Amino acid sequence: MPETIDNIRVEKLDIVRIIGITLDNAIDAAVETEGDKAVVKVAIFNKGLARYYVVENDMVQEKLPTHLIFEEGYSTKGPHRGYGLANLDAIISNYPRVSYRIQAKNYKFRIELEMS
């Protein structure tokens, strides 16, 4: 059942940038799979006092080195790329009550942000 998500503890411009970066990466990765069934899933919900924003997408790689993907310039797509997740990390670092978890395995990439 749909519910209203209010009182987000992140500045409006920053939440738009966070959503934009994660969706842009998810769509790019899903399109690379070249399948008609490439999937991008998005969920935004309340759980207790926390707000969650989850994006999951198909990817070509079986797994990714999650310890590297937030480094500026790291990209699986070639040179002159790899700034989105570094920017996302920089934005989130301004909010001590926002955290994220990454999974990149089994041809799926998932990022889960928690705003407590």
Side-chain angles (χ1 to χ4, degrees):
M1 171 182 269
E3 61 182 278
T4 300
I5 305 294
D6 55 7
N7 196 19
I8 294 177
R9 295 165 179 91
V10 176
E11 294 293 325
K12 289 178 185 176
L13 179 60
D14 287 339
I15 196 69
V16 168
R17 290 178 65 205
I18 289 168
I19 291 170
I21 290 167
T22 55
L23 286 178
D24 182 57
N25 284 357
I27 292 165
D28 279 352
V31 167
E32 280 186 349
T33 64
E34 298 180 5
D36 293 339
K37 297 177 183 173
V39 175
V40 174
K41 297 177 183 177
V42 178
I44 303 171
F45 57 93
N46 295 321
K47 185 175 180 183
L49 297 176
R51 308 316 180 253
Y52 289 85
Y53 173 72
V54 181
V55 176
E56 183 177 288
N57 58 274
D58 294 338
M59 63 181 188
V60 174
Q61 301 85 355
E62 181 180 359
K63 60 183 179 176
L64 291 174
T66 55
H67 65 284
L68 294 177
I69 62 176
F70 287 94
E71 288 186 19
E72 188 171 311
Y74 177 84
S75 175
T76 61
K77 298 176 183 102
H80 310 295
R81 303 193 55 141
Y83 298 98
L85 292 177
N87 288 335
L88 177 83
D89 189 52
I91 294 166
I92 291 173
S93 71
N94 293 318
Y95 297 96
R97 299 186 72 182
V98 176
S99 61
Y100 61 85
R101 287 174 284 290
I102 300 288
Q103 288 183 335
K105 60 184 179 181
N106 300 324
Y107 301 98
K108 300 278 185 199
F109 182 89
R110 178 183 172 103
I111 183 166
E112 180 179 310
L113 282 86
E114 178 182 349
M115 297 171 243
S116 57

